[in-house]
Amino acid sequence: MNHLRFLRYVDEVARVGSIRQAAERLHVAPSAVNRRIQDLEEELGTPIFERLPRGMRLTTAGELFVRYIRSRSAELDGVRSQIEELKGKRRGTVRIVASQALAPVCLPGAVSSFRAAHPLVSFEVTFGDHLQALEALRAFDVDLALVFNLAPEADIESIRQFDQPLVALMHRSHPLAGQPRVYLRDCADYPVVLPDRDIGGRQLLERFMTRSSIKLHPMVESNSFEFLRGCLYYQQAISFQIAIGAVTEGGELVARQLEDRHFPRGKLVLASLRHRQLPVIAHAFVEHIQQTLAAAEA
């Protein structure tokens, strides 16, 4: 399938914006990459790249052609997966983009249990927000997205949604850790460390506070959950996290659900690109992750 390999040259240059860098990643000579691009441009009758002083940029025709390449590549992955299924072997690669909250426990557990049943399967997992998830799905970089607050889009198939409450996270020695009920107003009396405004849990907090008199004044804001958890060991600090991502570090930390009435819940959305034929093994993982998350909800 040499023609597919040559099409990959174009895709790689589009991704990195440089013939030299693409050649390094593909382990071929830059002249070979450049020659294949020129051959394709001659065959198409139009440039697919603009040659700039600092690299290569897709033309409008090039953007259309690269989308075609990625679509064909995704279809080929699906065919390969079906062929392996006919052989009685479940193998292949499942590619996922997921919210950061799923990184510590939920997704590693789901991947591990799936591979226990299908040891020939590998995974490529990246983490990002809902906007990055949309971009990855549309570029055929991933098969599936599992992210919070993914807004409805005409070209995105929402396979299933899971409600997730927000919890207050604190050290086990914190005065609120032993209280029978915890409300957001209680938390405001202590130092607060918050995820940044792009994180789903922070957005739930902001949504609730716009219609209440409660104000939080964070002493720390960060896009790193690991860093925020580290802050909880000092100054009786409190943070907030979607329940499925609340890591208690062997009992050192405590997660308490907020009891405020009408507190909004996050939507964890499992999605794929509409009308795309997923590889068989990706379909199998869809069923597995749905069962895993449904059990966690119960």
Side-chain angles (χ1 to χ4, degrees), residues 223-237:
N223 66 348
S224 167
F225 291 154
E226 184 177 5
F227 173 71
L228 292 174
R229 286 196 299 271
C231 292
L232 302 182
Y233 288 79
Y234 306 95
Q235 297 183 295
Q236 296 185 337

Side-chain angles (χ1 to χ4, degrees), residues 31 47 89 233 274 276 295:
S31 59
K89 299 176 182 178
Y233 288 79
R274 194 180 299 277
R276 178 183 168 184

Side-chain angles (χ1 to χ4, degrees), residues 33-69:
V33 176
N34 189 47
R35 184 168 60 252
R36 294 304 175 187
I37 290 174
Q38 290 173 340
D39 290 345
L40 282 167
E41 289 179 324
E42 183 176 344
E43 186 175 343
L44 292 168
T46 186
I48 56 178
F49 286 101
E50 293 180 62
R51 275 73 171 174
L52 304 173
R54 294 189 177 181
M56 306 279 279
R57 183 171 64 195
L58 286 170
T59 63
T60 302
E63 290 175 357
L64 291 172
F65 190 63
V66 165
R67 183 167 180 83
Y68 161 78
I69 292 171

Side-chain angles (χ1 to χ4, degrees), residues 155-177:
D155 60 338
I156 301 299
E157 182 75 31
S158 176
I159 300 169
R160 188 164 174 182
Q161 298 186 10
F162 302 87
D163 278 349
Q164 281 291 311
L166 193 73
V167 298
L169 201 59
M170 63 199 76
H171 192 265
R172 61 187 176 89
S173 63
H174 195 282
L176 293 181

Side-chain angles (χ1 to χ4, degrees), residues 85-274:
E85 192 80 3
L86 288 174
K87 294 178 182 177
K89 299 176 182 178
R90 283 203 162 179
R91 69 169 73 208
T93 300
V94 181
R95 299 173 302 163
I96 307 171
V97 58
S99 289
Q100 186 189 157
L102 305 179
V105 176
C106 174
L107 203 50
V111 167
S112 177
S113 57
F114 188 78
R115 290 199 72 257
H118 308 292
L120 299 178
V121 176
S122 61
F123 283 79
E124 293 178 6
V125 184
T126 56
F127 294 95
D129 60 25
H130 61 289
L131 295 177
Q132 292 166 323
L134 287 174
E135 183 179 346
L137 286 171
R138 288 168 175 159
F140 295 90
D141 289 337
V142 298
D143 305 311
L144 301 167
L146 187 59
V147 293
F148 287 101
N149 302 332
L150 187 68
E153 298 279 349
D155 60 338
I156 301 299
E157 182 75 31
S158 176
I159 300 169
R160 188 164 174 182
Q161 298 186 10
F162 302 87
D163 278 349
Q164 281 291 311
L166 193 73
V167 298
L169 201 59
M170 63 199 76
H171 192 265
R172 61 187 176 89
S173 63
H174 195 282
L176 293 181
Q179 293 297 312
R181 292 177 177 271
V182 174
Y183 296 88
L184 187 60
R185 189 176 300 279
D186 302 326
C187 301
D189 294 332
Y190 296 91
V192 173
V193 295
L194 294 182
D196 67 28
R197 295 177 188 273
D198 292 331
I199 304 295
R202 175 68 178 272
Q203 293 166 5
L204 293 180
L205 273 176
E206 299 284 350
R207 194 189 314 168
F208 181 76
M209 288 191 296
T210 56
R211 59 175 190 263
S212 78
S213 59
I214 303 171
K215 304 297 177 189
L216 297 178
H217 303 286
M219 69 172 188
V220 171
E221 297 181 59
S222 175
N223 66 348
S224 167
F225 291 154
E226 184 177 5
F227 173 71
L228 292 174
R229 286 196 299 271
C231 292
L232 302 182
Y233 288 79
Y234 306 95
Q235 297 183 295
Q236 296 185 337
I238 294 178
S239 190
F240 300 90
Q241 174 64 281
I242 297 292
I244 201 167
V247 177
T248 56
E249 301 190 354
E252 286 299 304
L253 303 180
V254 174
R256 300 296 310 277
Q257 188 165 332
L258 296 169
E259 301 289 344
D260 301 76
R261 290 183 61 191
H262 308 304
F263 201 96
R265 286 175 168 246
K267 292 285 186 184
L268 180 59
V269 183
L270 176 63
S272 64
L273 190 65
R274 194 180 299 277

